[in-house]
Amino acid sequence: ESEERFVELVENIQEVFWVTDADDQVLYLSPAYEQIWGRPGDTFCESWRSSIHETDRERVLKKAATAPKTEPRSNTYRIVRPDGGLRWIYAQSFPLKDASGAVVRTVGTAEDITERKTLEERFLRSQRMDAMGSLVGGIAHDLNNIFAPVLMLSSTLKLTLPDERSKKLMVMLEQSAQRGAEIIRQLLTFSRGSGGER
């Protein structure tokens, strides 16, 4: 009856649940492996290693080989499904010891945390954009303080210049300063996060 309850539980949870013996032979692997990894459970020993994303593979396998089996372990890594889909996995394992302290079983879980990772990345991207907005806002205000006197003085000087060539040069300076001021207005719009024309 206990065994039936156990099977009913582990075969209906979304996380992968597994059990290995002292020699790392797989005694049990829940059906969630096939759903998350997209591979048959009977290929677990080979497909688990080969499915780890190439960027994470060396780190994950090294940790699996060197971490003490007498202590709980955890790892976060990516896997590549047969269809090319990428999944983030959070895996944990726990040793089961006999009365003498020797490890007789290891039980573990592996959870698909792709959605959580995606939300974290969006949050970090949003924070970066907020920081960028603050930076741009500060720079725009500084540039505004530089362009304001240029615009004011060019308008005044244009009226006092005697020859046409000097007036044309002053008009060019004023137009350039106005273009700069317009860019600053666009930067300030971006930094405030309000709508504006592209």
Side-chain angles (χ1 to χ4, degrees), residues 6-43:
F6 166 78
V7 170
E8 187 179 346
L9 171 68
V10 297
E11 292 194 355
N12 286 288
I13 59 174
Q14 293 180 333
E15 293 80 16
V16 178
F17 181 82
W18 52 265
V19 182
T20 57
D21 63 16
D23 298 318
D24 288 334
Q25 296 299 309
V26 178
L27 302 176
Y28 178 81
L29 178 69
S30 70
Y33 178 77
E34 295 187 6
Q35 295 165 12
I36 296 173
W37 263 258
R39 291 174 164 83
D42 58 5
T43 66

Side-chain angles (χ1 to χ4, degrees), residues 12-13 24 33 46 52 60 64 69 76 95 99 106 120 136 139 141 150 170 183 185 188 190-192 196:
N12 286 288
I13 59 174
D24 288 334
Y33 178 77
E46 304 81 34
I52 300 171
V60 173
K69 294 181 180 180
T76 302
T106 301
E120 283 175 11
V136 167
I139 292 170
H141 279 296
V150 173
M170 195 53 67
I183 290 169
R185 277 194 289 276
L188 285 169
F190 165 77
S191 71
R192 295 184 188 117

Side-chain angles (χ1 to χ4, degrees), residues 42 48 78 98 101 103 105 174 176 194:
D42 58 5
W48 173 75
R78 291 164 293 176
D98 63 15
V103 175
R105 298 272 190 280
E174 186 178 19
S176 294
S194 56

Side-chain angles (χ1 to χ4, degrees), residues 39-188:
R39 291 174 164 83
D42 58 5
T43 66
F44 171 73
C45 293
E46 304 81 34
S47 63
W48 173 75
R49 286 176 173 78
S50 62
S51 67
I52 300 171
H53 192 280
E54 58 183 12
T55 309
D56 300 337
R57 190 174 298 142
E58 185 180 347
R59 171 182 59 82
V60 173
L61 295 180
K62 184 178 179 182
K63 188 171 182 180
T66 58
K69 294 181 180 180
T70 54
E71 300 295 328
R73 294 175 285 174
S74 65
N75 214 338
T76 302
Y77 55 91
R78 291 164 293 176
I79 61 164
V80 181
R81 289 169 51 90
D83 60 7
L86 198 69
R87 290 278 184 270
W88 277 96
I89 303 297
Y90 176 65
Q92 296 177 284
S93 64
F94 307 90
L96 300 179
K97 303 174 185 178
D98 63 15
S100 67
V103 175
V104 291
R105 298 272 190 280
T106 301
V107 298
T109 60
E111 179 186 2
D112 182 347
I113 58 166
T114 308
E115 191 174 332
R116 189 189 316 164
K117 275 283 184 183
T118 304
L119 290 172
E120 283 175 11
E121 285 169 13
R122 284 182 189 163
F123 177 69
L124 289 172
R125 196 177 303 124
S126 173
Q127 282 187 318
R128 283 196 298 271
M129 288 301 290
D130 287 346
M132 182 65 75
S134 298
L135 176 65
V136 167
I139 292 170
H141 279 296
D142 289 343
L143 289 174
N144 213 21
N145 293 337
I146 294 167
F147 275 113
V150 173
L151 280 167
M152 194 168 52
L153 288 172
S154 61
S155 298
T156 307
L157 287 172
K158 189 171 57 176
L159 301 172
T160 61
L161 293 171
D163 60 298
E164 284 303 311
R165 186 174 181 282
S166 297
K167 284 182 181 179
K168 282 181 182 177
L169 289 173
M170 195 53 67
V171 167
M172 192 186 300
L173 176 68
E174 186 178 19
Q175 287 172 345
S176 294
Q178 284 172 344
R179 279 199 300 274
E182 179 55 33
I183 290 169
I184 290 167
R185 277 194 289 276
Q186 290 174 11
L187 288 172
L188 285 169

